[in-house]
Amino acid sequence: MYRVARLSRAQPTSAFVRRTLATHTSNEKGTFTADGKQVVTMIPGDGIGPEISRSVKQIFEADKVPIVWEDVNVTPVLKNGKTAIPDDALHSINRNKVALKGPLETPIGKGHVSLNLTLRRTFDLFANVRPCKSIIGYKTPFDNVDTVLIRENTEGEYSGIEHTVVDGVVQSIKLITEDASRRVSEYAFEYARSIGRKNVTIVHKANIQKQADGLFLATAMDVAKNYPDITVQDALLDRVCLQIVQDPTDFSDTVMVMPNLYGDILSDLGAGLIGGLGLTPSGNIGRKASIFESVHGTAPDIAGKDLANPTALLLSSVMMLRHMKLEAHADRIQKAVLKTIADGQHRTGDLGGKATNTAFTQAVIRNL
């Protein structure tokens, strides 16, 4: 059962944020303290969110990562009769440019608009990066998964353009634009270069949605002309779903790029191949800011019981550190997390173990 998040009236900027602004300097790269540490916005989230966020903070502190956390609350507020993100959270992300987010509850079929969608639209987070890589020592039906998926994050079926035509008939509009298709395609090719992959695969259904997916495909193919060092191919979504569960190594040397809904489905399918969403990182990239997040649910049934697995948020924080060019810290934390899982002594319940969140976190710290 999903609860609808409580709405409150918009509040003025907090005293804490005013004090922060007085001691920190901000520029186009973010906000920095007097001793050079970068300020990162933390959105703890709902359910198990505060517990796994605390794990990240403890591990970062143990590794002496040079960042300062700025916690914000994104519980919806009323602005001019409409739900919106609180001003403190908006200003914090705009100012700091980088944020880490725990899971947020989304009401099903009623209530406020998804806060995840609201954050993506507000900060124009146009590319969702979803790598899935098998974890050595944690056995799943496949032990050789190494996929990278980039999902257009702002339009498609998730544009939210719906209306009732007549009683019993609802129309939902899929919006595809050349501009959005071009920028996510350019990002996919640049990302492929940055990680040393020589191939980009455009995933679509242009055989059926000839205009919408046809525009996405044509735009991506046009972008490919500017990257002669990278080969490009296109593939139908249903065929990719079939092939990836038959032999995921077919996609180990490529970066997949696709419209919004397809990326949502295929990224979760990829997560299933390596053990679930609890092991999967995610980054949302924009020109105004970037938000890294765990994509699993809020798990209200275990919230507050010290049972939550922080791996997804930890691996997302590793993506964040690489985005911030803090490679050495990213490497150490990633190795410590993966070693903790591979050792098998401190796995949480979702991974078949009996360890608490606290025990897992302390094991990661020891493995640093």
Side-chain angles (χ1 to χ4, degrees), residues 189 202 219-228 230 232:
F189 280 90
I202 307 161
T219 304
M221 284 294 192
D222 186 57
V223 168
K225 297 175 184 177
N226 298 321
Y227 298 87
I230 297 176
V232 63

Side-chain angles (χ1 to χ4, degrees), residues 184 226 230 287 294 341:
V184 76
N226 298 321
I230 297 176
R287 295 192 174 100
S294 56
I341 296 172

Side-chain angles (χ1 to χ4, degrees), residues 205-206 209-219:
K205 284 293 291 181
Q209 299 192 352
K210 298 182 184 297
Q211 293 195 51
D213 282 22
L215 176 59
F216 186 91
L217 175 59
T219 304

Side-chain angles (χ1 to χ4, degrees), residues 53-96:
S53 299
R54 184 167 59 249
S55 295
V56 172
K57 290 181 179 180
Q58 291 171 351
I59 291 166
F60 272 46
E61 182 179 5
D63 200 52
K64 296 181 171 56
V65 180
I67 69 169
V68 174
W69 299 105
E70 185 174 281
D71 284 23
V72 298
N73 175 23
V74 294
T75 300
V77 297
L78 287 172
K79 286 184 179 180
N80 301 319
K82 297 181 180 179
T83 59
I85 297 170
D87 285 343
D88 274 5
L90 288 174
H91 296 328
S92 176
I93 299 171
N94 269 323
R95 185 172 59 248
N96 299 334

Side-chain angles (χ1 to χ4, degrees), residues 44 137 290 304 346:
S290 295
H346 297 92

Side-chain angles (χ1 to χ4, degrees), residues 238-279:
D238 43 345
R239 292 180 185 172
V240 172
C241 291
L242 174 63
Q243 290 171 353
I244 204 169
V245 298
Q246 289 180 324
D247 185 2
T249 61
D250 287 345
F251 299 91
S252 294
D253 63 347
T254 190
V255 169
M256 295 177 281
V257 61
M258 62 202 71
N260 205 334
L261 176 63
Y262 308 158
D264 192 7
I265 295 169
L266 195 53
S267 59
D268 280 14
L269 188 155
L273 298 178
I274 66 168
L277 293 173
L279 300 173

